[in-house]
Structure formats: structure tokens, C-alpha cells
Amino acid sequence: MRNTVKFTTAALAAGALTLGLSACGSSDSGSASDTSGPLVVAASPTPHAEILNYVKENLAKKAGLDLEVKEFTDYVTPNTATEDGSVDANYFQNQPYLDDFNKKRGTHIAPVVTVHLEPLGLYSHKVKSADALKSGATIAVPNDSVNEARALKLLAANNLITLKDGVGNEATPADITKNPKNLKFKELEAAQTPRSLDDVDAAVVNGNYAIEADLKPATDALVLESAKDNPYGNFLAVKEGNEDDPRVKKLAKLLTSPEVKKFIQDKYAGSVIASF
């Protein structure tokens, strides 16, 4: 039986404050956590928590790992909870996102091991191909800086727009230099993009939210990111100083095991791609 706790940002507000008090005894960003209890990992519900629960139910006991999975529906709380000690680790993000988060929030989160890639895709309920988008069509894109830039790069890679040369992970629609279809952009929280599909002409959706919305990236996306040389692999992460926690090392080994690779291949059929 799954033993998973689901949280939203609001639901965690009180819990993070209470649980975080025990972690606030030191301001040292590298202070190690207590390694005697279960390893508590924050994760997005799909596919991250699903992968963790596979490990919990099939591999953890034999490895001597007591694993607790907490699900979060946003891209902020898992990092802030890891920083304040409410959880021991998280599994939901990629390196460009983490770099941007640490810089802007002053957090000290560090990657441990990369597990998988969720290709970003363009989806529509109104057209069957990207070429069929009409002039003036509205495209929903994630509103956080890294994922918005990633979405725009996907559109540029498929010749729907052109971006300024050398634009980085903070690209916005203001960096578009050519827009032959006069596309308009609706900036939404990443979790809201699949829900917008009935209201916009198309939406760029992160892989985890696409799967949660019963979209199949491998077959439903009008255009999809290439996995080759892709910098957006998702990884297990901890607060700096906790990389050598023996529980974290056990989980890192299990997450990159042949059993987990097969689970990813069988369950997600190319919509999630193992990175190891």
C-alpha cells in the first residue's frame, strides 16, 4: 500500500513552520541533518513520487532504507522545505531551474544524482500540428523564468519564433525577434498550463504536468524536446552538506538501478526517459 502524503503550498505553510523550527538551530548552510530517522523526500506527484513509491515498495526494505514520500503540487515548496529541514531531500527539478532558484531565493540546494528527463511539449485541443496554428494564436507558457525560457526555446527550435542570439535561461517573449504567425503568449503557473488547453490555441506543458493531465508526450505533443544533450534532466537534491547522508546515498543508488530504469520504460513508454 502506498504511504504518501500530499501537500499543496498552502497546506505546507503551517507544517513547514512547525517542522522547520527544529532545523533552525544553526544558520550554517552545510549543517548535516539527523540520519537516524526515515528519509523524507519531497516530490511532484507524477512521475517523481510514482518512481519513489516504486522504490519504497519494491527496493527500499532490502537496501535497509526507510523512505517517506511527500507530494507537492508546486515548484517552490520542495526547495524551501529542503532548505529549512522540513524534508531531507527533493526530487522534481533540473539544473537550470535549481541554479535560478538558489540565486534568487538564497537557498543552498545541491544535486545528488540525475534520474530522468521529462521532455517539454507543445499541446493543443484545437489543431493537429504546429503548422496549423493560425495567425494571432495564443500559446500558454509557464511563467517561471527557466521554464518559460525553455518553452520559448522549444518553439524556436521548431521555427515558430526566433529568439535573440545567445539568449539564456531567462528568456521572455520580449526576446523574440521574429514571430511570423504573430503568436500571443499567456504566462501561467506551470501546473495550470494543461488546464488552459480549452481556452488557448496551444500550450507548452512540462512533462510531469502533461502526464498528470492524461496527455502522452510521446504521441500527443505537436512538438517535443529532443532528449539528446538535454540539460533538463531531473535529479535527487539535498541541502548542501547532506550529500553524504548514508540514506541519501542508498536512495541515489536505488534510483539509478536497472529495476528503476525498467519501471520508467514500462510505465511511461517514452514520455519519461531514464538518464542513466
Side-chain angles (χ1 to χ4, degrees), residues 95-120:
Q95 191 69 59
Y97 179 84
L98 176 59
D99 290 344
D100 181 73
F101 193 97
N102 278 336
K103 180 180 178 180
K104 291 181 176 177
R105 302 266 180 161
T107 47
H108 309 85
I109 311 300
V112 176
V113 65
T114 302
V115 181
H116 76 268
L117 171 72
E118 303 160 24
L120 198 73

PDB file of all heavy atoms in Angstrom, residues 95-120:
ATOM      1  N   GLN A  95      18.730  21.255 -13.455  1.00  0.00           N
ATOM      2  CA  GLN A  95      19.831  22.129 -13.037  1.00  0.00           C
ATOM      3  C   GLN A  95      19.594  23.605 -13.342  1.00  0.00           C
ATOM      4  O   GLN A  95      19.820  24.457 -12.466  1.00  0.00           O
ATOM      5  CB  GLN A  95      21.145  21.669 -13.681  1.00  0.00           C
ATOM      6  CG  GLN A  95      22.378  22.352 -13.103  1.00  0.00           C
ATOM      7  CD  GLN A  95      22.653  21.926 -11.669  1.00  0.00           C
ATOM      8  OE1 GLN A  95      22.850  20.753 -11.398  1.00  0.00           O
ATOM      9  NE2 GLN A  95      22.664  22.884 -10.742  1.00  0.00           N
ATOM     10  N   PRO A  96      19.140  23.985 -14.542  1.00  0.00           N
ATOM     11  CA  PRO A  96      18.899  25.410 -14.767  1.00  0.00           C
ATOM     12  C   PRO A  96      17.869  25.987 -13.793  1.00  0.00           C
ATOM     13  O   PRO A  96      18.022  27.111 -13.316  1.00  0.00           O
ATOM     14  CB  PRO A  96      18.413  25.456 -16.219  1.00  0.00           C
ATOM     15  CG  PRO A  96      19.053  24.274 -16.861  1.00  0.00           C
ATOM     16  CD  PRO A  96      19.022  23.208 -15.801  1.00  0.00           C
ATOM     17  N   TYR A  97      16.830  25.215 -13.492  1.00  0.00           N
ATOM     18  CA  TYR A  97      15.829  25.700 -12.546  1.00  0.00           C
ATOM     19  C   TYR A  97      16.443  25.876 -11.155  1.00  0.00           C
ATOM     20  O   TYR A  97      16.227  26.884 -10.486  1.00  0.00           O
ATOM     21  CB  TYR A  97      14.633  24.746 -12.470  1.00  0.00           C
ATOM     22  CG  TYR A  97      13.583  25.212 -11.484  1.00  0.00           C
ATOM     23  CD1 TYR A  97      12.623  26.135 -11.866  1.00  0.00           C
ATOM     24  CD2 TYR A  97      13.580  24.760 -10.171  1.00  0.00           C
ATOM     25  CE1 TYR A  97      11.675  26.610 -10.959  1.00  0.00           C
ATOM     26  CE2 TYR A  97      12.649  25.222  -9.250  1.00  0.00           C
ATOM     27  CZ  TYR A  97      11.688  26.136  -9.657  1.00  0.00           C
ATOM     28  OH  TYR A  97      10.766  26.610  -8.746  1.00  0.00           O
ATOM     29  N   LEU A  98      17.216  24.882 -10.714  1.00  0.00           N
ATOM     30  CA  LEU A  98      17.825  24.963  -9.384  1.00  0.00           C
ATOM     31  C   LEU A  98      18.809  26.127  -9.299  1.00  0.00           C
ATOM     32  O   LEU A  98      18.845  26.851  -8.291  1.00  0.00           O
ATOM     33  CB  LEU A  98      18.531  23.650  -9.042  1.00  0.00           C
ATOM     34  CG  LEU A  98      19.286  23.650  -7.705  1.00  0.00           C
ATOM     35  CD1 LEU A  98      18.348  23.943  -6.544  1.00  0.00           C
ATOM     36  CD2 LEU A  98      20.006  22.323  -7.495  1.00  0.00           C
ATOM     37  N   ASP A  99      19.633  26.307 -10.316  1.00  0.00           N
ATOM     38  CA  ASP A  99      20.586  27.426 -10.312  1.00  0.00           C
ATOM     39  C   ASP A  99      19.857  28.753 -10.148  1.00  0.00           C
ATOM     40  O   ASP A  99      20.279  29.625  -9.363  1.00  0.00           O
ATOM     41  CB  ASP A  99      21.398  27.433 -11.608  1.00  0.00           C
ATOM     42  CG  ASP A  99      22.384  26.280 -11.696  1.00  0.00           C
ATOM     43  OD1 ASP A  99      22.667  25.647 -10.664  1.00  0.00           O
ATOM     44  OD2 ASP A  99      22.854  25.999 -12.819  1.00  0.00           O
ATOM     45  N   ASP A 100      18.783  28.918 -10.888  1.00  0.00           N
ATOM     46  CA  ASP A 100      17.998  30.148 -10.823  1.00  0.00           C
ATOM     47  C   ASP A 100      17.351  30.293  -9.445  1.00  0.00           C
ATOM     48  O   ASP A 100      17.347  31.391  -8.861  1.00  0.00           O
ATOM     49  CB  ASP A 100      16.926  30.115 -11.921  1.00  0.00           C
ATOM     50  CG  ASP A 100      16.080  31.374 -11.951  1.00  0.00           C
ATOM     51  OD1 ASP A 100      16.593  32.413 -12.382  1.00  0.00           O
ATOM     52  OD2 ASP A 100      14.905  31.309 -11.530  1.00  0.00           O
ATOM     53  N   PHE A 101      16.830  29.199  -8.904  1.00  0.00           N
ATOM     54  CA  PHE A 101      16.158  29.228  -7.601  1.00  0.00           C
ATOM     55  C   PHE A 101      17.138  29.600  -6.493  1.00  0.00           C
ATOM     56  O   PHE A 101      16.859  30.476  -5.670  1.00  0.00           O
ATOM     57  CB  PHE A 101      15.523  27.865  -7.317  1.00  0.00           C
ATOM     58  CG  PHE A 101      14.558  27.865  -6.160  1.00  0.00           C
ATOM     59  CD1 PHE A 101      13.194  27.974  -6.388  1.00  0.00           C
ATOM     60  CD2 PHE A 101      14.997  27.751  -4.849  1.00  0.00           C
ATOM     61  CE1 PHE A 101      12.291  27.981  -5.333  1.00  0.00           C
ATOM     62  CE2 PHE A 101      14.112  27.756  -3.782  1.00  0.00           C
ATOM     63  CZ  PHE A 101      12.752  27.874  -4.030  1.00  0.00           C
ATOM     64  N   ASN A 102      18.284  28.922  -6.461  1.00  0.00           N
ATOM     65  CA  ASN A 102      19.283  29.225  -5.427  1.00  0.00           C
ATOM     66  C   ASN A 102      19.722  30.685  -5.487  1.00  0.00           C
ATOM     67  O   ASN A 102      19.892  31.350  -4.453  1.00  0.00           O
ATOM     68  CB  ASN A 102      20.504  28.323  -5.591  1.00  0.00           C
ATOM     69  CG  ASN A 102      20.317  26.945  -4.980  1.00  0.00           C
ATOM     70  OD1 ASN A 102      19.516  26.744  -4.077  1.00  0.00           O
ATOM     71  ND2 ASN A 102      21.076  25.977  -5.470  1.00  0.00           N
ATOM     72  N   LYS A 103      19.904  31.185  -6.690  1.00  0.00           N
ATOM     73  CA  LYS A 103      20.359  32.565  -6.866  1.00  0.00           C
ATOM     74  C   LYS A 103      19.319  33.565  -6.370  1.00  0.00           C
ATOM     75  O   LYS A 103      19.646  34.521  -5.655  1.00  0.00           O
ATOM     76  CB  LYS A 103      20.669  32.826  -8.344  1.00  0.00           C
ATOM     77  CG  LYS A 103      21.143  34.232  -8.650  1.00  0.00           C
ATOM     78  CD  LYS A 103      21.426  34.393 -10.145  1.00  0.00           C
ATOM     79  CE  LYS A 103      21.860  35.826 -10.469  1.00  0.00           C
ATOM     80  NZ  LYS A 103      22.134  35.976 -11.928  1.00  0.00           N
ATOM     81  N   LYS A 104      18.064  33.336  -6.712  1.00  0.00           N
ATOM     82  CA  LYS A 104      17.020  34.300  -6.387  1.00  0.00           C
ATOM     83  C   LYS A 104      16.514  34.171  -4.954  1.00  0.00           C
ATOM     84  O   LYS A 104      16.083  35.160  -4.362  1.00  0.00           O
ATOM     85  CB  LYS A 104      15.853  34.151  -7.371  1.00  0.00           C
ATOM     86  CG  LYS A 104      16.212  34.597  -8.788  1.00  0.00           C
ATOM     87  CD  LYS A 104      15.036  34.454  -9.732  1.00  0.00           C
ATOM     88  CE  LYS A 104      15.389  34.995 -11.116  1.00  0.00           C
ATOM     89  NZ  LYS A 104      14.286  34.803 -12.086  1.00  0.00           N
ATOM     90  N   ARG A 105      16.560  32.951  -4.415  1.00  0.00           N
ATOM     91  CA  ARG A 105      15.978  32.713  -3.083  1.00  0.00           C
ATOM     92  C   ARG A 105      17.034  32.624  -1.979  1.00  0.00           C
ATOM     93  O   ARG A 105      16.683  32.550  -0.800  1.00  0.00           O
ATOM     94  CB  ARG A 105      15.175  31.413  -3.103  1.00  0.00           C
ATOM     95  CG  ARG A 105      14.050  31.391  -4.136  1.00  0.00           C
ATOM     96  CD  ARG A 105      12.750  31.815  -3.533  1.00  0.00           C
ATOM     97  NE  ARG A 105      11.670  31.798  -4.518  1.00  0.00           N
ATOM     98  CZ  ARG A 105      10.382  31.765  -4.197  1.00  0.00           C
ATOM     99  NH1 ARG A 105      10.030  31.737  -2.926  1.00  0.00           N
ATOM    100  NH2 ARG A 105       9.454  31.783  -5.133  1.00  0.00           N
ATOM    101  N   GLY A 106      18.306  32.571  -2.361  1.00  0.00           N
ATOM    102  CA  GLY A 106      19.351  32.456  -1.357  1.00  0.00           C
ATOM    103  C   GLY A 106      19.387  31.099  -0.682  1.00  0.00           C
ATOM    104  O   GLY A 106      19.880  30.973   0.443  1.00  0.00           O
ATOM    105  N   THR A 107      18.882  30.080  -1.348  1.00  0.00           N
ATOM    106  CA  THR A 107      18.889  28.723  -0.807  1.00  0.00           C
ATOM    107  C   THR A 107      20.192  28.018  -1.153  1.00  0.00           C
ATOM    108  O   THR A 107      21.006  28.509  -1.946  1.00  0.00           O
ATOM    109  CB  THR A 107      17.687  27.924  -1.329  1.00  0.00           C
ATOM    110  OG1 THR A 107      17.577  28.115  -2.758  1.00  0.00           O
ATOM    111  CG2 THR A 107      16.393  28.396  -0.690  1.00  0.00           C
ATOM    112  N   HIS A 108      20.385  26.840  -0.578  1.00  0.00           N
ATOM    113  CA  HIS A 108      21.653  26.117  -0.717  1.00  0.00           C
ATOM    114  C   HIS A 108      21.376  24.652  -1.059  1.00  0.00           C
ATOM    115  O   HIS A 108      21.811  23.738  -0.371  1.00  0.00           O
ATOM    116  CB  HIS A 108      22.466  26.210   0.577  1.00  0.00           C
ATOM    117  CG  HIS A 108      22.624  27.611   1.083  1.00  0.00           C
ATOM    118  ND1 HIS A 108      21.679  28.229   1.885  1.00  0.00           N
ATOM    119  CD2 HIS A 108      23.617  28.521   0.886  1.00  0.00           C
ATOM    120  CE1 HIS A 108      22.076  29.456   2.157  1.00  0.00           C
ATOM    121  NE2 HIS A 108      23.244  29.667   1.572  1.00  0.00           N
ATOM    122  N   ILE A 109      20.623  24.458  -2.135  1.00  0.00           N
ATOM    123  CA  ILE A 109      20.236  23.109  -2.549  1.00  0.00           C
ATOM    124  C   ILE A 109      21.245  22.608  -3.571  1.00  0.00           C
ATOM    125  O   ILE A 109      21.684  23.349  -4.449  1.00  0.00           O
ATOM    126  CB  ILE A 109      18.820  23.098  -3.146  1.00  0.00           C
ATOM    127  CG1 ILE A 109      17.836  23.835  -2.228  1.00  0.00           C
ATOM    128  CG2 ILE A 109      18.350  21.669  -3.403  1.00  0.00           C
ATOM    129  CD1 ILE A 109      17.715  23.259  -0.840  1.00  0.00           C
ATOM    130  N   ALA A 110      21.605  21.327  -3.467  1.00  0.00           N
ATOM    131  CA  ALA A 110      22.621  20.751  -4.350  1.00  0.00           C
ATOM    132  C   ALA A 110      22.112  19.447  -4.958  1.00  0.00           C
ATOM    133  O   ALA A 110      21.458  18.650  -4.282  1.00  0.00           O
ATOM    134  CB  ALA A 110      23.904  20.484  -3.574  1.00  0.00           C
ATOM    135  N   PRO A 111      22.413  19.194  -6.232  1.00  0.00           N
ATOM    136  CA  PRO A 111      22.010  17.930  -6.864  1.00  0.00           C
ATOM    137  C   PRO A 111      22.837  16.762  -6.351  1.00  0.00           C
ATOM    138  O   PRO A 111      23.997  16.927  -5.966  1.00  0.00           O
ATOM    139  CB  PRO A 111      22.274  18.185  -8.345  1.00  0.00           C
ATOM    140  CG  PRO A 111      23.365  19.205  -8.360  1.00  0.00           C
ATOM    141  CD  PRO A 111      23.135  20.075  -7.161  1.00  0.00           C
ATOM    142  N   VAL A 112      22.228  15.583  -6.361  1.00  0.00           N
ATOM    143  CA  VAL A 112      22.915  14.360  -5.943  1.00  0.00           C
ATOM    144  C   VAL A 112      23.092  13.415  -7.123  1.00  0.00           C
ATOM    145  O   VAL A 112      24.203  12.996  -7.436  1.00  0.00           O
ATOM    146  CB  VAL A 112      22.139  13.655  -4.806  1.00  0.00           C
ATOM    147  CG1 VAL A 112      22.807  12.328  -4.436  1.00  0.00           C
ATOM    148  CG2 VAL A 112      22.057  14.557  -3.588  1.00  0.00           C
ATOM    149  N   VAL A 113      21.992  13.066  -7.809  1.00  0.00           N
ATOM    150  CA  VAL A 113      22.087  12.157  -8.940  1.00  0.00           C
ATOM    151  C   VAL A 113      20.931  12.438  -9.894  1.00  0.00           C
ATOM    152  O   VAL A 113      19.793  12.667  -9.466  1.00  0.00           O
ATOM    153  CB  VAL A 113      22.066  10.681  -8.483  1.00  0.00           C
ATOM    154  CG1 VAL A 113      20.728  10.304  -7.853  1.00  0.00           C
ATOM    155  CG2 VAL A 113      22.398   9.731  -9.622  1.00  0.00           C
ATOM    156  N   THR A 114      21.214  12.470 -11.195  1.00  0.00           N
ATOM    157  CA  THR A 114      20.184  12.687 -12.210  1.00  0.00           C
ATOM    158  C   THR A 114      19.511  11.365 -12.540  1.00  0.00           C
ATOM    159  O   THR A 114      20.175  10.358 -12.755  1.00  0.00           O
ATOM    160  CB  THR A 114      20.792  13.311 -13.478  1.00  0.00           C
ATOM    161  OG1 THR A 114      21.424  14.552 -13.130  1.00  0.00           O
ATOM    162  CG2 THR A 114      19.719  13.576 -14.521  1.00  0.00           C
ATOM    163  N   VAL A 115      18.185  11.397 -12.594  1.00  0.00           N
ATOM    164  CA  VAL A 115      17.412  10.167 -12.758  1.00  0.00           C
ATOM    165  C   VAL A 115      16.703  10.095 -14.104  1.00  0.00           C
ATOM    166  O   VAL A 115      16.763   9.076 -14.792  1.00  0.00           O
ATOM    167  CB  VAL A 115      16.383  10.018 -11.625  1.00  0.00           C
ATOM    168  CG1 VAL A 115      15.587   8.718 -11.767  1.00  0.00           C
ATOM    169  CG2 VAL A 115      17.069  10.084 -10.260  1.00  0.00           C
ATOM    170  N   HIS A 116      16.018  11.177 -14.509  1.00  0.00           N
ATOM    171  CA  HIS A 116      15.224  11.062 -15.732  1.00  0.00           C
ATOM    172  C   HIS A 116      15.023  12.430 -16.393  1.00  0.00           C
ATOM    173  O   HIS A 116      15.262  13.478 -15.788  1.00  0.00           O
ATOM    174  CB  HIS A 116      13.855  10.433 -15.429  1.00  0.00           C
ATOM    175  CG  HIS A 116      12.901  11.376 -14.764  1.00  0.00           C
ATOM    176  ND1 HIS A 116      12.784  11.488 -13.396  1.00  0.00           N
ATOM    177  CD2 HIS A 116      12.023  12.279 -15.277  1.00  0.00           C
ATOM    178  CE1 HIS A 116      11.877  12.391 -13.106  1.00  0.00           C
ATOM    179  NE2 HIS A 116      11.411  12.900 -14.228  1.00  0.00           N
ATOM    180  N   LEU A 117      14.527  12.386 -17.613  1.00  0.00           N
ATOM    181  CA  LEU A 117      14.150  13.574 -18.370  1.00  0.00           C
ATOM    182  C   LEU A 117      12.674  13.483 -18.711  1.00  0.00           C
ATOM    183  O   LEU A 117      12.186  12.432 -19.107  1.00  0.00           O
ATOM    184  CB  LEU A 117      14.965  13.663 -19.668  1.00  0.00           C
ATOM    185  CG  LEU A 117      14.514  14.747 -20.664  1.00  0.00           C
ATOM    186  CD1 LEU A 117      14.882  16.126 -20.137  1.00  0.00           C
ATOM    187  CD2 LEU A 117      15.135  14.513 -22.035  1.00  0.00           C
ATOM    188  N   GLU A 118      11.972  14.601 -18.538  1.00  0.00           N
ATOM    189  CA  GLU A 118      10.586  14.723 -18.990  1.00  0.00           C
ATOM    190  C   GLU A 118      10.570  15.736 -20.134  1.00  0.00           C
ATOM    191  O   GLU A 118      10.647  16.942 -19.899  1.00  0.00           O
ATOM    192  CB  GLU A 118       9.689  15.232 -17.865  1.00  0.00           C
ATOM    193  CG  GLU A 118       9.699  14.380 -16.618  1.00  0.00           C
ATOM    194  CD  GLU A 118       9.210  15.162 -15.420  1.00  0.00           C
ATOM    195  OE1 GLU A 118       8.475  16.149 -15.606  1.00  0.00           O
ATOM    196  OE2 GLU A 118       9.587  14.801 -14.305  1.00  0.00           O
ATOM    197  N   PRO A 119      10.485  15.288 -21.369  1.00  0.00           N
ATOM    198  CA  PRO A 119      10.522  16.241 -22.476  1.00  0.00           C
ATOM    199  C   PRO A 119       9.362  17.240 -22.423  1.00  0.00           C
ATOM    200  O   PRO A 119       8.213  16.863 -22.214  1.00  0.00           O
ATOM    201  CB  PRO A 119      10.410  15.340 -23.719  1.00  0.00           C
ATOM    202  CG  PRO A 119      10.814  13.980 -23.258  1.00  0.00           C
ATOM    203  CD  PRO A 119      10.381  13.898 -21.835  1.00  0.00           C
ATOM    204  N   LEU A 120       9.685  18.506 -22.587  1.00  0.00           N
ATOM    205  CA  LEU A 120       8.680  19.566 -22.651  1.00  0.00           C
ATOM    206  C   LEU A 120       7.984  19.480 -24.003  1.00  0.00           C
ATOM    207  O   LEU A 120       8.637  19.237 -25.030  1.00  0.00           O
ATOM    208  CB  LEU A 120       9.385  20.914 -22.508  1.00  0.00           C
ATOM    209  CG  LEU A 120       8.568  22.137 -22.132  1.00  0.00           C
ATOM    210  CD1 LEU A 120       8.174  22.056 -20.659  1.00  0.00           C
ATOM    211  CD2 LEU A 120       9.385  23.398 -22.366  1.00  0.00           C
TER     212      LEU A 120
END
